[in-house]
Amino acid sequence: MEAYFDNSATTKVLEPVKEIVIKTMMEDYGNPSSKHKRGLDAERYIKEAAETIAGTLKVAAKEIVFTSGGSESNNMAIIATAMANKRAGNHIISTGIEHASVYNPLAYLEEQGFRVTYLSVDGQGHINLEELEEAICPETILVSIMYVNNEIGAIEPVEAISKIIKKKNPNTLFHVDAIQAYGKLLIRPKSQGIDLLSVSAHKIHGPKGIGFLYIDKRVRIRPMIYGGGQQRGMRSGTENVPGIAGLSAAANYMYTNHREKIRGIIELKDYMIDRLAEIEGVTINSLKGELSAPQIVSASFMGIRSEVLLHALEEKEIYVSSGSACSSNHPAVSGTLKGIGLRQELLDSTLRFSFGIFNTREEVDYCIETLKELLPVLRRYQRG
């Protein structure tokens, strides 16, 4: 049996996604900037995709800008917004548990003279709202906080965060990295007070290399890519029509009977947590039910290095992650695990199991029984 539990790194594409990507590559392959029928057909895919995605968020289609994925969306939201608003101030607020595609743009901005405050988190990965309120000042132009943490699944209270921001400084913009949240949670940027929202398609069974950034029409932002003026000048370059069409198909699928789909993933997450609790020496870092993301379980295995366990599971065709896939080639102690106060001896002994719509209880059972067989052997080996 094969068990793929690395859906937060990437997901298998849906059949309708595959079909529309092939169709727009092989049949409707025109350049959307061309004025003939082929071009107009391609342009229609983009317009329909923007309308579909806007519908899942209850926003306007013109507030959707397609990008190459989550990292570009985060970079655009942070750097382009900061540069466009630097006359209003040079202060930005974020957290110590952000993804590298947020943390590194912030580091770049610090080199350009911006001041960044990094909020701490509690043992469950949630920020302290009082600390946020104290950090906001007249020079604060942007707050960037992820919706769902990609390692432990903590859900940040975005509505409460937005209310504090707008009360303390109404001119401060609020960016949310929703890359692990979109498709899993019901998101309403207008009512939740979100000004910018980043999304990636391949986290929701869509194609790689495509994503979008929601930009509220009131936001002042500067383009990062200049050229032919596509997407109302916000991101020049010939649009990735197959990717956009595939993203639209994935978003439409995930938000059709959404509650039913997510309930199934939550049940699987809770079942995994219950089964992991049967094993001695396992510390579970994620919460059950709707208290954390539907798709993520973080667990630490006393006495075994995560990389060793990861590869031992791989030999049994069980695929998991030892952290964020985007930084897997640059091993370092997780800022998230340190931030939640995980014991020192467990920092390098933690795996992430992440689920999608294709996973089953039988796969969880196979994984648990395999762990019960492997763990005693690996512990003896590492002690020896």
Side-chain angles (χ1 to χ4, degrees):
M1 176 182 284
E2 177 178 309
Y4 182 79
F5 293 135
D6 202 14
N7 288 275
S8 285
T10 198
T11 53
K12 176 183 176 181
V13 299
L14 297 159
E15 194 66 28
V17 171
K18 182 187 78 171
E19 291 172 359
I20 197 66
V21 167
I22 292 173
K23 188 174 189 296
T24 47
M25 283 183 169
M26 302 302 295
E27 298 176 24
D28 301 328
Y29 50 79
N31 187 321
S33 295
S34 297
K35 300 303 179 185
H36 49 64
K37 183 179 182 300
R38 289 285 188 191
L40 295 175
D41 287 343
E43 184 183 23
R44 187 164 59 249
Y45 280 105
I46 297 172
K47 289 182 178 179
E48 290 176 355
E51 290 170 0
T52 296
I53 290 163
T56 68
L57 298 171
K58 304 302 181 189
V59 300
K62 64 182 180 180
E63 295 176 306
I64 303 298
V65 175
F66 294 107
T67 67
S68 64
S71 290
E72 184 188 338
S73 294
N74 281 340
N75 274 258
M76 185 177 182
I78 294 167
I79 297 174
T81 302
M83 292 302 184
N85 294 275
K86 61 183 179 181
R87 289 187 179 180
N90 72 337
H91 182 230
I92 300 170
I93 298 172
S94 190
T95 79
I97 62 169
E98 299 298 316
H99 188 272
S101 61
V102 167
Y103 180 80
N104 286 330
L106 291 174
Y108 165 77
L109 288 175
E110 286 184 289
E111 293 175 356
Q112 307 306 308
F114 288 85
R115 182 170 62 90
V116 182
T117 298
Y118 296 94
L119 305 175
S120 60
V121 295
D122 62 19
Q124 296 178 345
H126 301 133
I127 70 162
N128 183 313
L129 295 176
E130 292 181 1
E131 184 183 1
L132 167 66
E133 186 171 9
E134 290 176 5
I136 299 170
C137 64
E139 291 75 39
T140 306
I141 56 174
L142 177 66
V143 174
S144 179
I145 295 176
M146 58 172 33
Y147 205 137
V148 166
N149 181 265
N150 55 297
E151 292 187 53
I152 64 172
I155 300 176
E156 299 299 337
V158 294
E159 291 181 51
I161 290 169
S162 176
K163 287 178 181 177
I164 289 171
I165 293 169
K166 301 307 179 182
K167 180 180 179 181
K168 190 79 179 284
N169 185 345
N171 296 319
T172 299
L173 297 173
F174 183 28
H175 166 243
V176 172
D177 171 353
I179 293 165
Q180 296 292 348
Y182 184 76
K184 286 86 175 180
L185 305 179
L186 201 62
I187 304 172
R188 296 289 182 261
K190 300 294 185 184
S191 61
Q192 292 177 294
I194 299 169
D195 299 303
L196 303 110
L197 185 97
S198 303
V199 172
S200 179
H202 75 104
K203 310 297 188 180
I204 59 165
H205 304 281
K208 298 176 181 64
I210 187 70
F212 70 84
L213 177 65
Y214 158 74
I215 308 172
D216 187 279
K217 62 184 178 182
R218 299 167 299 175
V219 171
R220 189 177 182 184
I221 187 169
R222 179 180 297 176
M224 292 178 64
I225 300 176
Y226 294 86
Q230 288 88 346
Q231 300 201 71
R232 301 174 299 281
M234 280 308 305
R235 186 185 184 269
S236 292
T238 301
E239 295 95 337
N240 175 5
V241 179
I244 291 170
L247 165 57
S248 177
N252 182 61
Y253 179 87
M254 291 304 298
Y255 280 103
T256 300
N257 299 322
H258 177 257
R259 184 63 189 163
E260 180 181 337
K261 290 185 176 75
I262 298 309
R263 188 183 299 114
I265 298 176
I266 291 173
E267 289 174 358
L268 200 62
K269 176 191 74 168
D270 289 354
Y271 184 62
M272 171 64 92
I273 289 175
D274 289 340
R275 294 295 324 263
L276 283 169
E278 299 172 4
I279 306 174
E280 185 179 355
V282 174
T283 299
I284 298 165
N285 308 310
S286 302
L287 300 174
K288 293 179 69 174
E290 297 184 6
L291 296 174
S292 70
Q295 77 277 21
I296 295 174
V297 174
S298 171
S300 304
F301 299 83
M302 176 65 76
I304 302 174
R305 288 181 56 235
S306 55
E307 188 174 349
V308 172
L309 183 52
L310 182 151
H311 290 302
L313 289 170
E314 178 189 12
E315 290 182 2
K316 302 292 186 179
E317 295 188 291
I318 299 170
Y319 302 100
V320 300
S321 173
S322 58
S324 171
C326 296
S327 58
S328 61
N329 292 324
H330 306 280
V333 175
S334 162
T336 297
L337 298 181
K338 289 176 64 179
I340 65 173
L342 192 66
R343 301 199 309 273
Q344 183 70 33
E345 62 269 25
L346 297 180
L347 290 176
D348 191 32
S349 300
T350 301
L351 295 181
R352 179 187 68 186
F353 304 82
S354 52
F355 310 100
I357 59 173
F358 296 114
N359 289 125
T360 65
R361 282 196 172 213
E362 288 74 22
E363 291 173 343
V364 172
D365 289 335
Y366 172 59
C367 179
I368 295 299
E369 296 310 313
T370 302
L371 283 168
K372 288 179 177 180
E373 293 176 7
L374 288 174
L375 292 174
V377 176
L378 293 175
R379 287 187 176 118
R380 286 197 299 270
Y381 173 78
Q382 290 207 188
R383 284 197 299 267

